[in-house]
Amino acid sequence: MAEGLSFTAKGIVAIVIVVILIVFYGRAPGIVQAATETVDRNLEAVGINIIDIPKILSLTPRVEPDGSVTVTWKLNRDGQKIEDQYFKAVFSYKKYPDDPINDVCTVKHIDKSTPDPKSVPKPDWTCSVDNGKSTAILKREGCTGPDCLDKLAGLYKIDVSFEKKEGYTTRKDEMETDPPFAFYTEKYVELLDRPLLGCYDGWGNCNVAWCKKLLVNYNLAGGAQGGLPTYLGLRKNLVVDVSNDFKVKPRSAQCGDVKSVGPLNYFNVDSCTKEEIDELNKMVARIRLLETANSAEYNLKSEDDYKNYLNQLDFWKKTAVKYTMSCTKSLGRVITTDPKGAEGELAKFGWQRAGDFKREAEVRSELDRVLKEKVKPAIVNLRAEALEGYKISLGWSLAKTPDGLVLGEERVKKGSYKISHFRTRWAGAITTENQKTERPKSPYSMKGEGSGGIIVTSFATDAGELTGKHEFEVKILDGGSNELAIAKASTGMFDDSYIETYKGGIDGCVTKGLGKDPKGLHECNVYGQKREELKALATPAGDKQKERVKEAQSKSSVKPSCKYEIVNEAGDLFIPHYAFNGCEPEELDRIWKNYLISLGSADDYDCILPLRSDAKNVCIIKRQVVNTLTAKGWKELRVKKGWENDV
C-alpha cells in the first residue's frame, strides 16, 4: 500500500514518524537534529520552506571611478535584508595572471545581534558592505581615486554566500564570479615586467618593460638595429639629442647613455628601471618621426614635393605613435616579427580596461612639440602686392600639417625675419642698363613673435615712388644667423611715366609689323620705338625731319651725352642715319613729345585718335607693355587710361 502513496503523502508520513521520534527520543540531540533536517528537506520537497534564505541569481563585479572594486548581487526577490541571516563576501586577488590567488578581505554579518558588518582584511586592504545597494566593496588602504585603480589592477575571484541557522538546521546559498573578474590600468600594462602565458613574440613574450628595452634601439620602419640606411647620420645625431634631454633628470647609472657601435649610436639600457625605460621609449618617439621627416627633406625638389611632404607628416606622426605604443598595442600588421602587444593578450584572458588611458595622447602631444621645436619652419604662399601710393605689402603663411600644426612654430618665435628688398627698373632681362639693386634700408629685421605671442606674417614698405619690378627675399633666422627658411616673391607697379620711358623689352611681349619692317617682330621697347621713329636719313632727303628733331632736342633740356649723331645700324640698309645715342629714357621721351608738338600733333603723344603713322607705332608698343604688365599682376598707377583700347 505504501508503494501506492503519492510523493506528498510520503512526505506527510515521514513528518509523522519524525514527530513520534522527537516525542520518544527527545533526550537524544543527534537524533533530534537528524530528524529536524529530514523534516526540512521533506517540507522543502513539497514546497514548504521552513528556513527562509534568499537565492542568489547573479553577481556583477565592477571597478569604480573612486578607486574600488565592488560586487553587486541580485536575489530571487526584492527587499531581502542581509541582517536577517549570516552573510559573507570573500575577495581573492592576484596581480598577474600566473600568480597564485589569495584571499585578501572578507566581510560578513554573523546574526541580528551584529548589525554592523565585520571585516577580516589582510594588510593594505579594506572591505565593507552597503546593504541598501546589495553591494560589497573592496578598497586599498592609503590611496584615493584613480591612484587606487593602479594598486587594485589584477584578477579577482569574489564569493558571496547567504546562510541561516534555525535550531539544528543550516541552509546556505552561494555564488562565485565565473569567470573571475580582471582588469588592468594604463600604468599596469605600460610597466608590465613579466611575460604573459601564451604570448610568444620575440619581444619578451609580452613583457612590456623588456620589449621597450629592445624597441628604443630598433627601427620598425627601417629594419633591425638602426635607421634608414641612406641617412644614418640623422639617427646618430637624434640619439644624442634624446639622450641629452633624457639625462636632464637624475637617472640610474649609465641609463640612457649613448654608446657607439660602428656607424650607429645606441642607448645604454642595461641599468634602466622599468619606469626609466618607459619614459625613454616615449622620448624616442621623436626619432621615429624625425628620421623619416628629416630624411625626406633631402628629396624636396619642387613645390609639389613639399606639399606632399606636409601631407605625409601627419601619416609619419601617426606611424611614430603606433611604433611607440607597439609593446602594449598590436601594430595590426601581418608580420610575425612585430610585438604582439600586451593589451591584446590580456583581452584574450577576459581582462578589461579601467581608468583613463592617456599614453597615446601624450605621445602625440610630444610629437606635436617636436614638430614645433625641432623641425625647420617653412614659408609658404609668400605674396607681394603693390598698393596705391607706391606702397608694397608682403604677406605669407607658415607651413602647417593637415591638422593645423605650424612646423617650427617655437623656432620662429625665438628667431627673427630678415627681409631684403631689391628693385629692377624694367621688367625685362638683367643687363648692364637694367641692374637689380638693393634698396637703401634693406635688409629689414623683425622679431618672429609679435604682440600676444602671435607669429608675424606680414610686412609693409614704401617704394619711394619708384616704379618697376620689386623683389623680396624673406628669411627666417634662428636666435643667431643660421637660416631656417627662405622664400621669394616679386611684384611691380607702373604709372604713365613708366610706360612712356619703358626700355628693355619683356619676355613674351612682341608686336608684329611696325614701321620699316612690317613683317618683323618688334619687342616691347617703347624707348627703342621712339628712337626708331626719330631716326632721319643722314642725306639731303632726310634734312627736313633731321632739323625738326634737332629743334625738338634743343627744347628738351638734355645732357651733353644725349647726342643726335650719324649711325649705320642693322635695318638701315647700309645708309647712314641720324639717331640718338647716350640719352636717358626720360630725355628721349621729352624729345619725342616736343617733336610731336612741332608737328602740331600734341594729342598723338597721349595716343588720342586719329594718329600719325609714327605715333601709332609707338602707341602700339605702349599698349603691349600695359597689357603685358597688367597680365603679370603689376599695380597700375596711371592717370591716363583707356587709350590702349582704341589703338
Side-chain angles (χ1 to χ4, degrees):
M1 178 178 177
E3 293 179 356
L5 292 175
S6 68
F7 180 78
T8 302
K10 290 180 180 178
I12 294 172
V13 170
I15 292 170
V16 172
I17 294 171
V18 170
V19 171
I20 294 171
L21 288 171
I22 293 171
V23 172
F24 286 97
Y25 300 99
R27 294 182 180 179
I31 295 176
V32 173
Q33 181 176 351
T36 304
E37 291 177 354
T38 301
V39 171
D40 290 342
R41 284 193 298 271
N42 282 278
L43 288 175
E44 186 177 275
V46 298
I48 302 173
N49 192 358
I50 298 296
I51 302 177
D52 184 21
I53 66 168
K55 191 77 173 175
I56 304 171
L57 300 180
S58 64
L59 296 178
T60 305
R62 287 190 303 272
V63 57
E64 305 290 351
D66 66 352
S68 62
V69 172
T70 64
V71 60
T72 301
W73 51 87
K74 184 177 181 181
L75 305 180
N76 61 336
R77 59 185 178 276
D78 296 332
Q80 180 65 52
K81 299 293 186 179
I82 65 171
E83 288 91 340
D84 295 335
Q85 56 273 318
Y86 183 96
F87 161 84
K88 181 168 67 173
V90 179
F91 292 89
S92 301
Y93 168 78
K94 60 179 178 178
K95 186 171 184 179
Y96 299 108
D98 55 347
D99 282 349
I101 194 164
N102 296 297
D103 293 350
V104 292
C105 198
T106 300
V107 60
K108 56 187 177 181
H109 275 287
I110 305 301
D111 52 36
K112 292 182 181 180
S113 64
T114 57
D116 295 326
K118 291 189 176 182
S119 176
V120 184
K122 294 290 177 70
D124 299 329
W125 297 87
T126 61
C127 51
S128 59
V129 64
D130 184 339
N131 184 28
K133 296 182 179 179
S134 302
T135 302
I137 305 160
L138 177 70
K139 292 186 176 183
R140 292 296 294 262
E141 289 281 11
C143 66
T144 57
D147 290 341
C148 281
L149 293 181
D150 296 326
K151 291 187 177 182
L152 285 167
L155 182 144
Y156 292 85
K157 184 181 72 173
I158 307 171
D159 184 284
V160 174
S161 62
F162 287 87
E163 188 175 295
K164 190 171 184 179
K165 293 183 179 181
E166 289 289 348
Y168 295 104
T169 302
T170 299
R171 301 295 295 154
K172 182 177 182 179
D173 192 60
E174 182 176 18
M175 183 176 285
E176 179 183 290
T177 52
D178 185 25
F181 174 59
F183 71 89
Y184 61 90
T185 63
E186 183 172 73
K187 184 176 181 180
Y188 177 97
V189 73
E190 293 292 347
L191 298 180
L192 185 65
D193 59 353
R194 62 179 64 196
L196 293 178
L197 186 65
C199 176
Y200 305 102
D201 63 0
W203 292 82
N205 298 335
C206 294
N207 180 332
V208 175
W210 184 259
C211 174
K212 289 176 181 178
K213 280 190 174 185
L214 299 175
L215 191 64
V216 296
N217 285 319
Y218 193 93
N219 181 1
L220 285 164
Q225 301 298 328
L228 301 174
T230 310
Y231 306 107
L232 292 180
L234 283 176
R235 185 177 179 89
K236 192 169 186 177
N237 294 334
L238 290 170
V239 169
V240 173
D241 181 51
V242 170
S243 177
N244 290 337
D245 287 353
F246 179 73
K247 300 289 284 187
V248 168
K249 296 180 182 179
R251 304 294 181 185
S252 303
Q254 298 182 336
C255 177
D257 287 355
V258 176
K259 58 180 181 179
S260 297
V261 180
L264 294 173
N265 283 338
Y266 295 88
F267 295 103
N268 189 329
V269 295
D270 296 338
S271 61
C272 296
T273 65
K274 61 183 180 180
E275 290 80 10
E276 288 173 330
I277 203 66
D278 178 52
E279 186 175 353
L280 180 59
N281 181 56
K282 282 197 297 183
M283 296 178 73
V284 170
R286 86 172 65 156
I287 298 179
R288 299 175 184 124
L289 170 65
L290 292 181
E291 68 182 352
T292 310
N294 289 353
S295 63
E297 285 184 355
Y298 288 93
N299 299 315
L300 300 180
K301 307 298 183 184
S302 67
E303 185 176 343
D304 288 340
D305 288 340
Y306 197 80
K307 289 179 180 178
N308 187 50
Y309 168 74
L310 291 175
N311 290 330
Q312 287 188 344
L313 268 177
D314 189 57
F315 168 76
W316 293 331
K317 184 173 74 172
K318 291 176 181 176
T319 301
V321 172
K322 287 175 66 176
Y323 289 164
T324 303
M325 300 294 298
S326 60
C327 290
T328 54
K329 289 178 171 290
S330 169
L331 288 173
R333 307 188 302 190
V334 187
I335 301 178
T336 57
T337 56
D338 281 350
K340 283 189 174 181
E343 283 201 51
E345 295 301 305
L346 287 172
K348 291 179 182 178
F349 294 110
W351 287 52
Q352 304 173 20
R353 273 183 161 206
D356 294 329
F357 281 69
K358 303 177 180 178
R359 178 56 54 86
E360 276 192 69
E362 290 171 353
V363 175
R364 282 195 297 270
S365 177
E366 166 65 9
L367 293 180
D368 287 345
R369 183 192 68 80
V370 167
L371 289 174
K372 291 192 291 186
E373 295 182 4
K374 302 290 184 181
V375 173
K376 286 184 177 181
I379 300 170
V380 295
N381 300 323
L382 176 62
R383 305 168 304 282
E385 182 180 6
L387 307 172
E388 296 289 343
Y390 299 93
K391 298 185 183 300
I392 301 176
S393 71
L394 292 180
W396 60 89
S397 304
L398 296 176
K400 296 180 180 180
T401 61
D403 56 357
L405 191 75
V406 177
L407 297 185
E409 179 179 359
E410 296 304 317
R411 302 182 78 173
V412 177
K413 289 182 177 180
K414 294 176 182 178
S416 62
Y417 289 104
K418 180 181 178 182
I419 302 174
S420 300
H421 179 188
F422 304 90
R423 178 196 178 233
T424 306
R425 184 173 184 182
W426 314 117
I430 299 296
T431 64
T432 55
E433 293 183 325
N434 191 36
Q435 293 290 310
K436 182 168 74 173
T437 59
E438 189 167 6
R439 301 294 298 135
K441 295 181 180 180
S442 175
Y444 307 92
S445 181
M446 298 191 307
K447 291 183 178 180
E449 183 177 16
S451 59
I454 299 174
I455 292 177
V456 174
T457 55
S458 63
F459 172 76
T461 187
D462 193 322
E465 297 190 11
L466 292 176
T467 52
K469 183 179 181 180
H470 293 265
E471 296 178 79
F472 294 87
E473 181 181 83
V474 179
K475 292 182 178 180
I476 300 176
L477 306 178
D478 63 11
S481 58
N482 296 320
E483 181 183 308
L484 299 177
I486 183 172
K488 298 179 181 180
S490 66
T491 187
M493 58 183 76
F494 62 94
D495 55 15
D496 294 300
S497 176
Y498 186 81
I499 299 300
E500 295 292 352
T501 58
Y502 191 83
K503 182 180 182 180
I506 311 174
D507 289 342
C509 179
V510 293
T511 299
K512 186 176 181 180
L514 292 177
K516 302 171 186 177
D517 185 14
K519 294 183 180 181
L521 295 177
H522 295 253
E523 66 176 12
C524 293
N525 185 343
V526 177
Y527 172 93
Q529 193 62 41
K530 287 180 178 179
R531 180 179 179 274
E532 186 68 24
E533 300 299 340
L534 290 171
K535 260 187 177 184
L537 288 170
T539 62
D543 284 347
K544 187 175 181 180
Q545 182 181 359
K546 177 177 61 178
E547 293 304 319
R548 185 172 282 118
V549 171
K550 283 186 175 182
E551 181 184 354
Q553 179 186 17
S554 67
K555 296 179 179 180
S556 300
S557 180
V558 297
K559 297 177 183 178
S561 58
C562 180
K563 298 177 180 179
Y564 197 53
E565 57 189 10
I566 296 175
V567 298
N568 196 343
E569 300 169 330
D572 291 344
L573 301 176
F574 305 105
I575 301 174
H577 281 70
Y578 274 94
F580 283 102
N581 287 326
C583 300
E584 294 294 331
E586 291 78 9
E587 293 175 325
L588 190 66
D589 178 54
R590 287 195 295 270
I591 294 170
W592 171 253
K593 186 174 185 179
N594 286 327
Y595 168 71
L596 293 176
I597 291 172
S598 71
L599 295 173
S601 303
D603 286 348
D604 285 16
Y605 180 80
D606 294 326
C607 300
I608 299 173
L609 299 179
L611 293 170
R612 292 169 46 88
S613 61
D614 52 359
K616 184 176 181 180
N617 291 336
V618 171
C619 287
I620 289 173
I621 297 294
K622 287 164 57 176
R623 179 196 66 195
Q624 293 297 94
V625 173
V626 169
N627 291 341
T628 302
L629 294 180
T630 301
K632 286 180 175 291
W634 283 34
K635 179 67 177 179
E636 183 181 48
L637 301 174
R638 293 185 302 150
V639 175
K640 301 173 184 177
K641 302 179 182 179
W643 56 261
E644 64 274 12
N645 299 322
D646 300 326
V647 174

